[in-house]
Amino acid sequence: ALKVTPAPRAPANANANTRRVQATPAPGASRQTSGPQPPTEAQVEQNNARRLLAGLQTALPVIDQFLPAKATQVRQKMAEMGLSTSYNPTFTGPSGQGAPTADSLVQAAANAPQQAKTRIYQQAAYRALEEGDTEKARQIANDYLQNNARDVVMQRIAMREMTKKADGARLEEIRQVATRLQSDNQKIDLFIQAAKDTQKTDPKLAVQFLDEARQITNRRATSYEHFEQQLRVARAFAEVDPARSFEMLDPGISQLNELLSAAAVLSGFEINMFREGEMSMQTGNGLTSTINRYGQELALLARTDFERSETLAGRFQFAEPRIMARLAIVKGLLGTDPVTTPGFRAENIVIRQD
């Protein structure tokens, strides 16, 4: 997976140069029309590496626990390829072990290289919070973390304790905390975490927290980061109010259709997503990764409302993303991971328009 490299951008005049060469054969040479060439060994290796790297996204907590020396390299490579490196607390480990516990992460950090210790101890504190043990989280922060890393965890603990107050006080206090945060990502994280902390005891308040996060993302995306922010809020809504999750996904699919149409027009000039009228679903570019993320969310929502999920998948105007989204739904309903299952190779599916 670490061997993967970003796809090189073809020169703007590459197609024109190729046409000139093909149009002027050498003296005495006969004109021949060559068909599509099979991928080289290097291309096959890169395709395999991209699949492996994408499959490691949900395994990051276990990599942190058992291979901390490689964790930094994996995250750097994911960032280089435009893949998310967010911690996924719903990861199920090998052989059904489930996500690592706070205690197991503390043990892993003790044996980890120095450069990985802080991150693993932070994850241990967050896991303690998810387990409902704020005192253990505070102890981990005080015993093992320093400076900014400790402050971040203590802020999360303070926020968790805020959620135990009366409804109005909780919402207003967390709003005030959000105004002091610098980035939209931090604000969204704050409101999503507050919603998770209250969804079992006060679902109505959880929806209010998510409405605050939705207001931050309620705009036309101008980057893949904006798409990811919208998807994170939609995922959080899926657990407390699936209807609002659908509402958030709908405009995103419309915008993706616009981007795909633009990509089709530019194919061969600035980008190369289409070959002979067929769209390549290989990972390694932001547009394909975002389409796959929408498939993941539709697969999750299909468990509560299959018809609406299938309808939204059908709103993709191009056949390839439409079929990929429906395949994700099918795999999700069968109880398998819609994207990261090793046998699921989106880029190997060829869809003929005829």
Side-chain angles (χ1 to χ4, degrees):
L2 294 177
K3 292 182 180 180
V4 68
T5 58
R9 176 177 292 182
N13 62 347
N15 291 339
N17 291 339
T18 301
R19 287 193 295 269
R20 283 197 294 271
V21 171
Q22 293 175 343
T24 312
S30 60
R31 293 178 180 269
Q32 295 182 351
T33 302
S34 60
Q37 298 298 312
T40 65
E41 290 186 9
Q43 290 172 330
V44 171
E45 181 182 60
Q46 282 294 300
N47 290 339
N48 289 336
R50 290 189 183 97
R51 286 194 292 269
L52 289 169
L53 188 67
L56 290 178
Q57 284 180 285
T58 53
L60 283 173
V62 169
I63 295 173
D64 288 334
Q65 182 177 0
F66 295 107
L67 277 174
K70 290 286 187 181
T72 300
Q73 298 177 49
V74 172
R75 290 174 186 273
Q76 289 175 346
K77 183 61 68 174
M78 285 181 177
E80 179 183 343
M81 298 301 296
L83 299 173
S84 173
T85 59
S86 299
Y87 173 64
N88 182 7
T90 61
F91 173 80
T92 299
S95 304
Q97 293 175 4
T101 65
D103 290 335
S104 66
L105 285 171
V106 169
Q107 293 174 4
N111 300 318
Q114 189 62 40
Q115 64 270 23
K117 286 181 182 292
T118 297
R119 184 177 65 253
I120 300 176
Y121 280 128
Q122 276 187 308
Q123 290 185 357
Y126 295 151
R127 174 58 64 185
L129 283 175
E130 290 161 11
E131 294 170 353
D133 195 337
T134 55
E135 287 306 314
K136 179 182 288 186
R138 183 178 285 107
Q139 181 181 354
I140 293 172
N142 287 326
D143 290 350
Y144 301 110
L145 298 175
Q146 298 178 353
N147 302 328
N148 186 60
R150 178 183 175 278
D151 292 342
V152 170
V153 173
M154 297 303 286
Q155 287 175 4
R156 181 75 64 88
I157 294 172
M159 188 271 293
R160 174 66 61 91
E161 291 175 340
M162 287 181 202
T163 61
K164 297 178 181 179
K165 298 182 179 180
D167 291 0
R170 280 184 277 184
L171 181 58
E172 185 56 36
E173 192 166 357
I174 290 178
R175 279 175 177 164
Q176 293 177 4
V177 173
T179 60
R180 297 194 293 269
L181 298 177
Q182 296 182 352
S183 70
D184 285 346
N185 280 328
Q186 291 175 318
K187 296 174 183 178
I188 292 168
D189 286 342
L190 176 69
F191 286 118
I192 289 178
Q193 187 60 48
K196 288 181 179 179
D197 292 342
T198 56
Q199 68 183 43
K200 292 182 179 180
T201 57
D202 195 340
K204 182 179 178 181
L205 180 60
V207 170
Q208 289 180 301
F209 285 134
L210 293 180
D211 278 335
E212 295 288 330
R214 184 177 181 176
Q215 290 180 21
I216 299 172
T217 64
N218 191 23
R219 64 186 186 280
R220 181 179 173 84
T222 57
S223 68
Y224 292 122
E225 182 182 14
H226 290 169
F227 274 121
E228 184 60 31
Q229 290 171 350
Q230 293 169 357
L231 286 165
R232 282 162 52 205
V233 179
R235 166 65 66 90
F237 264 124
E239 300 181 15
V240 293
D241 192 343
R244 299 198 189 196
S245 186
F246 282 114
E247 291 172 2
M248 292 198 67
L249 295 178
D250 196 345
I253 292 176
S254 297
Q255 188 174 353
L256 286 173
N257 284 330
E258 296 176 19
L259 294 174
L260 287 168
S261 297
V265 173
L266 289 171
S267 187
F269 292 90
E270 294 294 331
I271 57 176
N272 292 285
M273 283 191 64
F274 291 82
R275 295 193 298 269
E276 299 180 2
E278 298 171 7
M279 178 181 169
S280 170
M281 292 301 293
Q282 290 184 354
T283 56
N285 66 73
L287 190 53
T288 300
S289 297
T290 301
I291 292 170
N292 285 334
R293 285 283 288 111
Y294 271 79
Q296 292 180 48
E297 300 310 317
L298 290 174
L300 178 67
L301 288 166
R303 299 171 187 174
T304 56
D305 192 337
F306 168 77
E307 291 186 2
R308 192 167 182 181
S309 295
E310 201 281 332
T311 299
L312 273 186
R315 290 202 57 227
F316 281 108
Q317 294 175 356
F318 285 79
E320 294 85 351
R322 184 166 62 246
I323 292 177
M324 295 312 306
R326 284 172 171 162
L327 284 172
I329 290 173
V330 169
K331 292 183 73 68
L333 291 175
L334 291 174
T336 58
D337 191 299
V339 172
T340 58
T341 298
F344 183 59
R345 298 182 177 182
E347 53 270 42
N348 286 350
I349 296 177
V350 177
I351 301 159
R352 297 282 179 181
Q353 298 296 339
D354 54 359

